Structures are given as C-alpha cells and as structure tokens.
Amino acid sequence: MKRKLIKLSRRYQAALQKHLTQGPQASLQPARQLGRQAVRLGLETLDVARIHEGALAALEASSSRDGIIKRSEIFFAEAVTPIEKTHHAALNAATRLNQVNKTLDRRTVDLAASNRSLKQSIVHRKTVEKALKKSEGHSKKLLEESRRLQKHLRHLTHRILTAQEDKRKKISRDLQDEIGQTLLGINVRLLTLKKEATVNAEGFKKDIASTQRLADKAKRSIKRFAREIGKHHEA
C-alpha cells in the first residue's frame, strides 16, 4: 500500500507540474484520473490534500506564484471530485440503507405480529376442534339416549294399548255375562207371569215388581259399563 501511495504521489506531482506548465488552458482530465486512482486505493480527501501539498512544495517558486496556486487549487479540486462523488454516493447508499433497514424493521414488527396472530389462530382452532370433538361425543350420547328413550316409549305405549285392549275385552265379557244373566232372568219371569196371569193375581203383581227390578238392574249395569268404557277411552 505504501509503495502504491508513493507512486501515486509521484504521478500527481508530475501531472500537476505539467498542468501548471501548460497554463490556464490545460486539461483537467489527468486530475480526474488521479482522483479515480485514489478512490481505488481507498484514499480520502485529506490523503489527496497531503499529496497535493507535497507536490506543490516540491515545485520551484516563480514570479507568477499566485496564478500557480490558483490553478493548482483547481487541479486539486478536480482530483478530489471522484472521492467526493464516492462520498455522495456512499451518503445516498447509507440513506437508502437506512430506509431499507427501517422498512425491514417495520416488516419484522409486522411479521412478528402476524406470527403472534397465527399462533393465536392455531391455538383457537385447536380449542375449537377439541370443543367440537367433545360436543360431537356428547351429541352422540344424547342421540343414543334419545333412541333408547324412544324404544322404551314405544314399549310402554304397546303395553298401555295392550292393557287397554285387554280391559275393553274384560268389560265387554262382563257386560255380556251380567246383562245376559239379567235378561235371562227377565225372560224366565215373563214366562212365569204368562202362566200365572190367570191363576194368581196377587202373585202376578209380585212377579211384575220383581221383573221391573231385574230390568232396572240391567239398566244400571248398562250405564255403569258405559261409564267405565268412557273413562277407559279418556285414559
């Protein structure tokens, strides 16, 4: 690095001397080339200023020293232009980098928030799935219980209908037996009355009264069985 710096200093001095010798119309292209070389070597403006001061001190003084100094300043300014441009570019790059970093920071924050939201969503989904599974199991148990109760209800209904049918049959048999016996008694009494009508008037009256009682009994039996059948239907 030191050898390269020495070579650059010598080239700078030679280029400056040539520039001053050529006068005000001299080209500044050599100064720009030296500046680009300084950039490649990683030199800063202060480093080039030291090289410039050393080159200027090595030149011999002349009667037009003020003009030489002014033109040398122009040469120096042109030489450090590439360095200043790199500084400007570096500043712009730093600004852009800072903006990119801020954008990345915001995106990192947003990403972290999204990750938290995603984790919460996953936890919520798992909770819902667990609740659904539990609810599904509970619903299955309720369905099984409902089916069992329906089966039991059908069984009870069948038993009730069977019991009602048996009771109707029993009432019907009892009604037939009791009314049949009563009517048979009435029929027997009527036959007896027919035979005794011309023989015993007093006994005839008693038989009529007895027959009336049998008829009343049959009437009451019919009403009673009718009420029982009515209650049975209401039940």
Side-chain angles (χ1 to χ4, degrees):
M1 178 64 183
K2 187 175 181 180
R3 293 176 60 184
K4 292 181 179 180
L5 185 59
I6 293 173
K7 288 182 179 181
L8 179 63
S9 299
R10 290 174 180 174
R11 285 196 295 269
Y12 189 93
Q13 182 178 339
L16 177 60
Q17 185 176 5
K18 184 177 180 180
H19 177 77
L20 295 175
T21 302
Q22 291 177 351
Q25 303 300 323
S27 174
L28 293 173
Q29 182 65 26
R32 288 192 291 271
Q33 291 177 351
L34 289 169
R36 287 191 286 270
Q37 292 176 13
V39 171
R40 287 194 292 270
L41 291 175
L43 301 181
E44 295 292 339
T45 302
L46 184 59
D47 298 324
V48 178
R50 291 194 185 100
I51 293 173
H52 177 76
E53 290 295 330
L56 190 61
L59 296 177
E60 294 181 355
S62 65
S63 57
S64 58
R65 183 176 178 81
D66 292 338
I68 292 175
I69 293 175
K70 186 175 181 180
R71 292 201 303 274
S72 67
E73 289 177 352
I74 295 173
F75 186 88
F76 170 75
E78 193 67 22
V80 297
T81 297
I83 298 176
E84 296 299 328
K85 287 182 178 179
T86 60
H87 288 170
H88 183 69
L91 182 61
N92 290 337
T95 301
R96 289 194 298 271
L97 180 61
N98 187 40
Q99 292 174 349
V100 170
N101 287 334
K102 289 182 179 179
T103 302
L104 288 175
D105 290 340
R106 289 195 299 270
R107 291 184 179 178
T108 300
V109 172
D110 294 340
L111 181 60
S114 298
N115 287 336
R116 287 194 298 270
S117 178
L118 179 60
K119 289 180 180 179
Q120 291 175 355
S121 298
I122 292 173
V123 172
H124 178 68
R125 179 176 59 81
K126 290 182 178 179
T127 302
V128 171
E129 288 177 352
K130 185 177 180 181
L132 286 175
K133 288 181 179 179
K134 184 177 180 180
S135 177
E136 182 180 356
H138 183 64
S139 299
K140 187 176 180 180
K141 290 182 180 179
L142 289 177
L143 181 59
E144 292 176 353
E145 181 67 15
S146 176
R147 289 174 178 172
R148 188 185 66 80
L149 291 175
Q150 288 178 357
K151 184 177 180 181
H152 182 63
L153 180 60
R154 285 195 297 268
H155 178 67
L156 289 177
T157 302
H158 177 71
R159 289 181 59 186
I160 291 172
L161 292 176
T162 301
Q164 290 176 344
E165 183 64 24
D166 292 342
K167 189 173 183 180
R168 280 197 297 269
K169 289 179 181 179
K170 183 177 183 302
I171 292 173
S172 178
R173 287 195 300 270
D174 293 343
L175 181 61
Q176 290 177 6
D177 292 343
E178 187 169 344
I179 294 177
Q181 290 177 3
T182 303
L183 292 177
L184 179 61
I186 292 173
N187 190 37
V188 171
R189 287 292 182 182
L190 289 174
L191 290 174
T192 303
L193 289 174
K194 185 177 180 180
K195 292 178 181 181
E196 294 180 353
T198 57
V199 178
N200 187 359
E202 186 65 27
F204 180 71
K205 291 181 181 179
K206 291 180 180 180
D207 288 336
I208 290 175
S210 177
T211 302
Q212 287 176 341
R213 286 194 296 272
L214 288 174
D216 290 338
K217 181 180 179 182
K219 183 178 179 180
R220 289 194 300 272
S221 296
I222 291 172
K223 288 183 178 180
R224 177 167 56 81
F225 282 114
R227 285 195 300 271
E228 290 182 0
I229 292 174
K231 291 180 180 179
H232 178 68
H233 281 297
E234 290 177 358

